[in-house]
Amino acid sequence: MRMFKPLPLLATLLLATNFPPAQAVPVIPAIFNFQGSGYGHGVGMSQIGARAQALQGRTAIDIVRYYYSYVTVEPFQDDEMLRVNIGHLLTNFSLRTDSALGQVQIYDGDIKDTAPAQSLRVMRPKSNLNFTLLGNLGFPTIIAPDGTVDTLPSGTTWTIRWTGTRYLEGSPTIVSLVKGTTSTKYKYGEIQVKLVKAAVLGYRIEVTNTVRLHDEYLWGIGEVPSSWPLASLQAQAIASRTYALNKAGAIKTSCDCNIYGSSQDQAFVGYAKEAERTYGALWKAAVNSTSTDESTGLAILFNSKPI
């Protein structure tokens, strides 16, 4: 038998140890690229970035051109009416007015501007107009301040107008839309209520506020704090106008709207923006400063069209 000489203890330990393979030295790139998108639809200007640039003294047009390449900022016609969705896939909601004067009128159907119409009811101040969905019909009822209930005919489409707007002369009126625990005030335009068949849910109620893009819509945009520097507010107004111009003209059947009033498109908070203590007037003034006349405002253009 052939004999083997034992290895020294140190050599034995070295052979038994499982050393990891040699690691390659990592190559550190000279440039890092980060890519992402904003909350909601994820396109457009960085709002925090716009604020920072405004604090550095840049103008609204400087800010816009920083975020959008090969564009011009020029006047563009923006006096069309915009139907903004303010209540999506609802089964019930209520509308209230606390104005001591003025009127709210309810019409059957989707009333056009030029069509003569006879209202179903005139709602007294501080009354509640409740809409409830049952199957494929909506059931509106008015509850007066004294508790009296007035049941209106069931249907699928209604128009609601109030005094102080282009639709009805009289004392200025503000209406509040109540969805669950949320209440939002509206001052301009009119409200449409329509039953729409959703893909899986069956029929649901869609509520829209029809307002003029040029001013009534932009005054209600709630995308940034009104306390921010003027140039960042103006840049937001220009970007919001441009975004809305791309949505105008085509009604989406899923929401009975041109544009959603949420982060799905742009946050629209109605009269609440304008009514902010101290700062609401600053936002309204910033919007107005981007208007070039009664029917045009600054927009971001490429090849003479809104981007």
Side-chain angles (χ1 to χ4, degrees), residues 25-37:
V25 177
V27 177
I28 301 175
I31 298 174
F32 292 88
N33 292 318
F34 296 88
Q35 188 172 3
S37 63

Side-chain angles (χ1 to χ4, degrees), residues 183-258:
S183 177
T184 308
K185 294 181 178 181
Y186 298 94
K187 182 178 180 180
Y188 305 107
E190 63 180 359
I191 286 176
Q192 275 80 30
V193 180
K194 181 176 286 189
L195 269 60
V196 172
K197 192 171 184 180
V200 178
L201 300 173
Y203 283 91
R204 288 295 184 268
I205 302 172
E206 299 295 328
V207 186
T208 56
N209 181 204
T210 300
V211 286
R212 196 167 84 125
L213 194 164
H214 178 81
D215 40 27
E216 296 169 346
Y217 172 69
L218 293 176
W219 289 341
I221 290 294
E223 286 283 323
V224 297
S226 303
S227 59
W228 279 11
L230 175 61
S232 63
L233 300 183
Q234 292 170 325
Q236 179 64 58
I238 294 168
S240 291
R241 175 183 290 110
T242 308
Y243 187 87
L245 283 167
N246 278 279
K247 299 292 182 177
I251 295 290
K252 294 190 277 277
T253 56
S254 60
C255 63
D256 188 40
C257 71
N258 300 115

Side-chain angles (χ1 to χ4, degrees), residues 117-301:
Q118 180 66 42
S119 64
L120 290 171
R121 296 289 192 280
V122 177
M123 197 166 93
R124 292 164 52 189
K126 301 189 178 181
S127 298
N128 279 317
L129 173 61
N130 298 329
F131 280 87
T132 302
L133 175 66
L134 290 174
N136 61 352
L137 289 175
F139 291 81
T141 57
I142 298 174
I143 303 177
D146 61 4
T148 304
V149 177
D150 181 11
T151 301
L152 281 66
S154 61
T156 60
T157 310
W158 298 266
T159 298
I160 302 165
R161 293 174 173 171
W162 50 94
T163 54
T165 65
R166 69 174 57 82
Y167 302 104
L168 285 177
E169 295 182 355
S171 300
T173 303
I174 296 172
V175 298
S176 296
L177 180 71
V178 181
K179 301 176 292 180
T181 59
T182 303
S183 177
T184 308
K185 294 181 178 181
Y186 298 94
K187 182 178 180 180
Y188 305 107
E190 63 180 359
I191 286 176
Q192 275 80 30
V193 180
K194 181 176 286 189
L195 269 60
V196 172
K197 192 171 184 180
V200 178
L201 300 173
Y203 283 91
R204 288 295 184 268
I205 302 172
E206 299 295 328
V207 186
T208 56
N209 181 204
T210 300
V211 286
R212 196 167 84 125
L213 194 164
H214 178 81
D215 40 27
E216 296 169 346
Y217 172 69
L218 293 176
W219 289 341
I221 290 294
E223 286 283 323
V224 297
S226 303
S227 59
W228 279 11
L230 175 61
S232 63
L233 300 183
Q234 292 170 325
Q236 179 64 58
I238 294 168
S240 291
R241 175 183 290 110
T242 308
Y243 187 87
L245 283 167
N246 278 279
K247 299 292 182 177
I251 295 290
K252 294 190 277 277
T253 56
S254 60
C255 63
D256 188 40
C257 71
N258 300 115
I259 192 169
Y260 284 96
S262 65
S263 59
Q264 189 166 343
D265 281 315
Q266 297 189 119
F268 176 75
V269 297
Y271 185 61
K273 186 66 171 177
E274 182 182 342
E276 290 173 342
R277 183 176 298 178
T278 305
Y279 296 112
L282 299 180
W283 169 250
K284 188 173 180 179
V287 170
N288 293 345
S289 69
T290 66
S291 298
T292 48
D293 59 38
E294 287 299 314
S295 60
T296 63
L298 292 177
I300 309 166
L301 308 182

